[in-house]
Amino acid sequence: MTRLPVAPKPPLRRFHQARWDEPIVFELSTPGSRGIGVPEVDPAIGATIGDDATLPAAIRRENPPALPELAQPQVLRHYVRLSQENLGADFNIDVGQGTCTMKYSPKVNEVVIRDPRLYDTHPCQDPATAQGTLEIVHRLERMLAEISGMDAVSVQPAAGSAAIWANVSMIRAYHASRGEGEQRDEIITTIFSHPSNAACAKTAGYKVITLHPDEHGYPDLAALRAALSDRTAALLITNPEDTGIYNPRIAEFVAAVHEVGGLACYDQANANGILGITRARDAGFDLCHFNLHKTFSTPHACGGPAAGACGVTEALEPFLPGPVVVRDDDGTYRLDADRPQSIGKVSPFYGVIPNIVRAYTWIMTMGAEGLREVAEIAALNNNYLAQKILQIPGASMGYPETDARIEQIRYTWQELTEQTGISTEQIGWRAADFGVHYWSSHHPFVIPEPFTLEPTESYSRGELDEYAAIIAEVAREAREDPETVRTAPHRSTVHLTGHEDFDDPARWAVTWRAYLRKYPGAGVRS
Amino acid sequence: MTITVGLLVNPVAGLGGAAGLAGSDGADVQRRAAQRGGVSHAAERATVALDGLRSMLSAHDAVLVVAPGVMGETIAAATGLDAAVLDVPVSTPTSAADTTRCATAFAAAGVDLMLFAGGDGTAADVARGCGERIPVLGIPSGVKMYSGCFAVNPRAAADIARHFLAGRAAASAVPTTEMVEVIDLDEDALRDGQVRPRLTASLRIPVAPTVQSRKAPTAANVAEQAAAVAAAAADLLADGVPTALGPGGTTQAVADRLGVPGTLLGVDVVRGGNCDGSDSAGGGRLLAEGASEPELYDWATRGPLRIMVSVIGGQGFLFGRGNQQFSPRVLGAVGAANIVILAPEAKLAALGGRPLLVDTGDADTDALLSGYRRILTGPGQWAVYRVGERTDQHSTDQHQGAI
Ligand SMILES: Cc1ncc(COP(=O)(O)O)c(C=O)c1O
């Protein structure tokens, strides 16, 4: 037998991330350099309209903008290099970021959104000339109403948290409309619900009451009853929670909230394991929200723009953000802004249209049976990965005696950490050396030394095996070569960085201007 | 700036553990433990921690200062690390007084961080010597480690120390230490199967490095969380109702915020007022310092009194440990509705789902305080958490503290 003259591949990839030492784009600026050479004004035109031939004085800047000056190839190289220094969803087995549902965003949808009939439209143009776009918005809202069982949906929010914010705003408007706005000043959530629920409630001025789980990891109904009163505005709850545990008594939770006159609001951002299986309305919820960039496949886009959807019952429909897209009897679509009880806009114009179109396309390609199959495969993948992970010495599941998990699992390294001193964060840094993303959990760590895996339906069995093998390898290193783990990452774009800089507002510099202000002398060429 | 690191080892720490003696406090117990074949692993554990610090020490030209003889000097010598030796007398065999004396000397020398190997007893001796004057960190080597000052193991101690000292070397402005409570259990009682944790002192420890996860919703570190709880509590006191602040670091922070001196280990009655919610401390008045049970009963029966307590140590006690001044009759007179419980979320999370505990010695009072209760966790936020009567399953199982 002849062999190829190449060394066989080792069982784990010899990954090494690009490290470009790339300066900030402002530092690359060369005065006078330009991306586009704008042609001189044609003499004939100049002769006709005189000095204003470039730009009318009224819209001319007095001072040029302080932008970096670069030619096109330098700009291209700069951003391609930065993209190589990421661990993006398109090239890593992105199952380590549980609760984020990092599923595949089909590339064909990028083709669809680049159709000039969509791409070249402007949000200010006459709705009569954007009927197709409005029809897609309307149809998507109706499909999400069907999926959730709710009466009305708005896809205006530009992210999951924006949708939660819209829901909290509607809750506030609803109670105010009934004269109970002042009295109902408390919102209840659970510690394993996504923290955006507590954050949005707080931002809206509510007092926030957080329930801790019972000893099996389920939301505690007795704790809810103890928290409820005539001051309760609403319960905001995720199900399954970020542990992957589904609350089988969710309808009782909703009923208990209704008994005191509160509203029940379902964070359905974790819907990937229950699509086509349960619906918010069937458990009695008044409001719900989806993350289109999770369950419905649109890109997460590095923290936005994303897309969220709010679903409500008829009683709350008047409060939906607006303007809303309505379909008249003759089949034309228009924007209705004449809704006095509406909470108003929660994002510019009508939402993130490209994502709305991607989500619509995805649902249409899946079909109703396809959506259910997504949920089933997501749950199967999760259980398959769990079998692999639980074989790793030192890894176990939070609440191991509660065995049902849906689409994600919060695991714990407690045993490994006690034996080796290696923490879940350190494991995550080392996992980056193998080219995969890994995340622990929200704070506080209720499950000690946590990590949260959510494989979705998008990953093959081979990829799940590879991810589990990487985690197993890092756990082995924690025992046999802890120094390597402790000083990781070694093969990544950056090495171990201090986190004080993130903790200290005096040192943050999230813009170039802040950087120059806080670090005098920075950016000056030596 | 030169970084200095101190090392103090209690060479008999942990002696009584394997010997089943529930601790090693006192010369007599140590003798019995040695007869039963007990050995201390404190020196080994300190060696592991020193090894973990080796590269950091040379990278920063740091100076290692050790306690004399078996309390540090011989251990450093065996690792081959250069070390300066404290100039204090140490007796043979060593005693608690030696630990305290060395800790005082380390504080006088102004070391950037003192590592000590031992358990709760050692921590209490250390606190007696240096108080909160210098940051310290425990290398867990004792039998009991209920206090919040221990890393989970010697390697983790080295990690935390390295991180902290690197911050010092870089003259970082971020507050990187937090106060933790030193808890000791009455060992004689423990040998009779009873747990009686006492809050004995407080120490200042480095905050363990955290990853600033982009999704982290809570305050960046534990110290900030505690400050947020204290701010929220101080706001509640703005109604002017006299309030008995229980012992502990969290309530101490409330007193600090009100600008009144507090008794860390005792109960003080204070009054808030003109607290405008701004960052400026002050506006409070100290009505009774270190109040006794009869004094508190007097306050409770004379007019409205509020009680504010925090969760003591890793065991989660609210009443009946270290605050017996809050007797059943005092609690009865105040009423459950006027008791405010404070805890940073991280502290509740660290309970691992175990209920908070009350053990006032009176079953009816315990029942009154039990059930689901609201815990103030920050401005405008509460947790609903279960308070249980103490059952004996919480016996002597070792629970490590805050790190
Ligand atoms: C359960 C849950 N709810 C809400 C959100 C918030 O969504 P977004 O990140 O789009 O603001 C997330 C996102 O991670 C989530 O997992």
Side-chain angles (χ1 to χ4, degrees):
Chain A
M1 197 174 80
T2 53
R3 280 167 168 268
L4 280 175
V6 289
K9 296 248 187 263
L12 286 181
R13 275 171 218 279
R14 288 161 294 182
F15 172 80
H16 201 302
Q17 183 126 34
R19 177 157 22 127
W20 284 103
D21 254 344
E22 184 69 1
I24 294 170
V25 69
F26 285 93
E27 293 171 319
L28 292 172
S29 179
T30 304
S33 193
R34 286 289 178 275
I36 298 170
V38 182
E40 295 295 317
V41 180
D42 185 282
I45 297 173
T48 315
I49 61 173
D51 279 349
D52 274 351
T54 44
L55 272 183
I59 62 167
R60 244 185 256 165
R61 277 177 173 271
E62 281 180 16
N63 301 306
L67 291 174
E69 297 171 71
L70 277 87
Q72 288 189 30
Q74 282 76 46
V75 174
L76 180 67
R77 265 190 288 281
H78 176 69
Y79 286 105
V80 172
R81 284 172 183 166
L82 293 189
S83 75
Q84 291 182 348
E85 295 185 328
N86 266 312
L87 265 186
D90 280 353
F91 59 92
N92 103 85
I93 304 170
D94 213 351
V95 308
Q97 203 176 176
T99 100
C100 287
T101 317
M102 304 304 291
K103 67 170 62 178
Y104 176 57
S105 304
K107 294 303 161 202
V108 67
N109 295 343
E110 304 307 302
V111 179
V112 175
I113 62 152
R114 275 171 181 74
D115 186 312
R117 286 168 294 176
L118 190 69
Y119 207 67
D120 290 344
T121 55
H122 191 279
C124 288
Q125 75 189 51
D126 187 335
T129 64
Q131 286 291 300
T133 305
L134 295 183
E135 181 175 352
I136 289 176
V137 172
H138 190 262
R139 279 171 167 256
L140 178 63
E141 289 179 348
R142 291 321 306 157
M143 291 194 297
L144 293 171
E146 182 70 28
I147 290 166
S148 61
M150 307 309 275
D151 296 318
V153 169
S154 165
V155 291
Q156 197 186 76
S161 303
I164 299 174
W165 166 255
N167 280 343
V168 171
S169 303
M170 286 190 271
I171 289 164
R172 191 170 50 178
Y174 171 84
H175 290 306
S177 76
R178 298 157 54 91
E180 292 187 344
E182 302 253 310
Q183 169 202 328
R184 296 191 181 272
D185 62 351
E186 294 181 351
I187 279 188
I188 303 170
T189 185
T190 68
I191 197 138
F192 288 136
S193 287
H194 192 276
S196 282
N197 291 285
C200 291
K202 229 175 185 189
T203 307
Y206 282 104
K207 295 174 181 161
V208 176
I209 297 154
T210 303
L211 310 180
H212 281 250
D214 71 11
E215 61 270 36
H216 306 293
Y218 288 115
D220 190 335
L221 188 55
L224 174 71
R225 291 195 198 283
L228 288 170
S229 72
D230 60 2
R231 300 179 62 174
T232 305
L235 169 72
L236 309 185
I237 193 165
T238 313
N239 192 29
E241 292 191 295
D242 287 355
T243 49
I245 295 175
Y246 188 86
N247 176 3
R249 303 176 70 181
I250 191 68
E252 286 174 72
F253 277 65
V254 173
V257 175
H258 285 164
E259 243 162 67
V260 301
L263 295 171
C265 178
Y266 192 170
D267 174 348
Q268 290 219 269
N270 289 349
N272 209 47
I274 56 172
L275 281 178
I277 295 168
T278 69
R279 307 194 312 168
R281 187 57 176 280
D282 301 338
F285 279 98
D286 306 288
L287 308 94
C288 73
H289 98 270
F290 291 109
N291 281 16
L292 301 186
H293 52 285
K294 292 170 61 173
T295 319
F296 300 100
S297 96
T298 80
H300 286 63
C302 289
C310 301
V312 296
T313 57
E314 208 179 344
L316 282 139
E317 184 170 359
F319 305 100
L320 272 181
V324 294
V325 177
V326 289
R327 184 176 189 274
D328 284 329
D329 291 341
D330 65 0
T332 57
Y333 296 88
R334 67 186 162 83
L335 290 161
D336 180 9
D338 183 20
R339 299 169 57 252
Q341 289 190 296
S342 165
I343 60 165
K345 280 192 168 154
V346 293
S347 79
F349 300 107
Y350 321 111
V352 182
I353 295 292
N355 280 343
I356 289 169
V357 175
R358 288 180 179 111
Y360 173 77
T361 313
W362 188 78
I363 295 174
M364 290 302 284
T365 52
M366 300 308 286
E369 300 76 25
L371 294 186
R372 189 183 167 108
E373 200 179 345
V374 161
E376 289 168 350
I377 296 175
L380 278 174
N381 273 355
N382 185 40
N383 284 286
Y384 176 79
L385 185 61
Q387 294 317 308
K388 293 265 161 182
I389 295 294
L390 294 174
Q391 282 168 22
I392 301 173
S396 56
M397 195 151 77
Y399 308 104
E401 71 291 350
T402 304
D403 57 12
R405 295 293 192 280
I406 311 289
E407 87 299 7
Q408 63 181 310
I409 296 179
R410 186 150 296 162
Y411 299 89
T412 171
W413 286 119
Q414 184 170 29
E415 187 190 320
L416 186 83
T417 303
E418 275 165 12
Q419 292 167 350
T420 65
I422 297 292
S423 67
T424 186
E425 275 98 14
Q426 288 169 328
I427 291 192
W429 293 331
R430 179 63 177 153
D433 280 341
F434 295 92
V436 294
H437 194 152
Y438 169 106
W439 178 64
S440 52
S441 111
H442 302 292
H443 290 249
F445 288 175
V446 177
I447 293 173
E449 300 302 329
F451 61 115
T452 315
L453 308 183
E454 181 187 7
T456 77
E457 73 281 12
S458 297
Y459 294 94
S460 71
R461 180 169 166 175
E463 286 170 317
L464 298 183
D465 288 345
E466 183 177 346
Y467 193 88
I470 290 168
I471 300 302
E473 172 64 7
V474 176
R476 184 196 64 77
E477 288 180 336
R479 293 176 196 283
E480 295 171 20
D481 182 14
E483 203 51 31
T484 297
V485 180
R486 202 172 282 120
T487 51
H490 305 280
R491 304 193 293 248
S492 190
T493 298
V494 287
H495 290 188
L496 202 50
T497 53
H499 290 269
E500 295 77 16
D501 296 333
F502 296 123
D503 288 348
D504 182 2
R507 279 194 268 172
W508 293 341
V510 292
T511 64
W512 178 246
R513 236 182 271 170
Y515 180 53
L516 295 182
R517 189 177 67 244
K518 292 184 181 179
Y519 298 88
V524 177
R525 286 188 181 223
S526 49
Chain B
M1 177 177 135
T2 312
I3 296 293
T4 51
V5 191
L7 176 72
L8 169 68
V9 178
N10 171 3
V12 297
L15 203 57
L21 288 176
S24 326
D25 293 355
D28 182 41
V29 171
Q30 286 161 18
R31 207 170 339 98
R32 274 166 60 203
Q35 281 162 8
R36 291 199 198 178
V39 281
S40 169
H41 295 286
E44 275 159 50
R45 297 184 144 244
T47 305
V48 172
L50 276 187
D51 268 340
L53 278 182
R54 190 182 291 272
S55 59
M56 187 278 146
L57 290 172
S58 62
H60 290 279
D61 265 333
V63 178
L64 177 66
V65 188
V66 296
V70 290
M71 295 188 72
E73 188 178 357
T74 52
I75 296 159
T79 63
L81 285 165
D82 285 338
V85 183
L86 275 189
D87 185 16
V88 285
V90 164
S91 54
T92 319
T94 58
S95 71
D98 293 316
T99 301
T100 302
R101 204 170 322 114
C102 289
T104 308
F106 277 118
V111 292
D112 289 287
L113 176 69
M114 183 189 89
L115 293 166
F116 70 92
D120 280 335
T122 315
D125 298 335
V126 165
R128 216 164 287 128
C130 66
E132 297 164 2
R133 277 173 289 157
I134 46 169
V136 304
L137 180 64
I139 304 165
S141 320
V143 180
K144 297 164 284 122
M145 281 165 292
Y146 290 86
S147 307
C149 55
F150 295 101
V152 291
N153 60 30
R155 300 249 36 154
D159 279 351
I160 295 167
R162 258 204 324 241
H163 175 86
F164 176 71
L165 292 167
R168 280 278 163 127
S172 148
V174 181
T176 45
T177 60
E178 61 172 316
M179 299 306 215
V180 290
E181 292 141 12
V182 176
I183 296 203
D184 207 1
L185 270 68
D186 181 334
E187 290 188 359
D188 288 332
L190 204 55
R191 285 186 199 100
D192 295 339
Q194 294 168 15
V195 188
R196 272 197 223 127
R198 270 178 305 135
L199 176 66
T200 57
S202 69
L203 285 170
R204 203 146 60 83
I205 65 161
V207 173
T210 54
V211 178
Q212 183 63 20
S213 157
R214 200 168 58 80
K215 300 182 88 174
T218 47
N221 65 44
V222 188
E224 274 175 38
Q225 275 189 43
V229 176
D235 281 352
L236 280 190
L237 293 194
D239 62 7
V241 174
T243 300
L245 291 179
T250 313
T251 41
Q252 176 72 41
V254 179
D256 289 347
R257 234 182 132 87
L258 296 175
V260 301
T263 326
L264 175 74
L265 303 180
V267 175
D268 304 309
V269 182
V270 303
R271 195 201 299 277
N274 63 34
C275 288
D276 53 2
S278 71
D279 267 350
S280 64
R285 270 215 295 147
L286 181 61
L287 304 176
E289 188 173 359
S292 64
E293 192 274 346
E295 282 175 80
L296 288 168
Y297 186 65
D298 193 38
W299 275 100
T301 46
R302 259 194 296 140
L305 179 70
R306 176 195 283 126
I307 288 178
M308 207 172 245
V309 288
S310 62
V311 179
I312 304 280
Q315 287 263 304
F317 273 101
L318 293 175
F319 289 108
R321 296 291 181 274
N323 58 7
Q324 280 85 347
Q325 301 92 315
F326 294 127
S327 65
R329 66 170 184 160
V330 171
L331 293 166
V334 168
N338 295 316
I339 297 173
V340 178
I341 305 165
L342 313 178
E345 282 207 352
K347 205 157 182 174
L348 293 178
L351 289 171
R354 285 172 293 126
L356 293 165
L357 300 173
V358 290
D359 182 18
T360 63
D362 175 63
D364 289 344
T365 307
D366 288 355
L368 184 79
L369 299 172
S370 299
Y372 291 91
R373 297 201 52 115
R374 286 192 181 192
I375 318 285
L376 188 63
T377 58
Q381 66 182 48
W382 288 262
V384 168
Y385 204 87
R386 202 153 55 85
V387 178
E389 299 160 47
R390 181 177 164 251
T391 59
D392 276 316
Q393 85 213 28
H394 300 280
S395 54
T396 56
D397 59 328
Q398 188 164 309
H399 183 83
Q400 290 171 350
I403 296 179

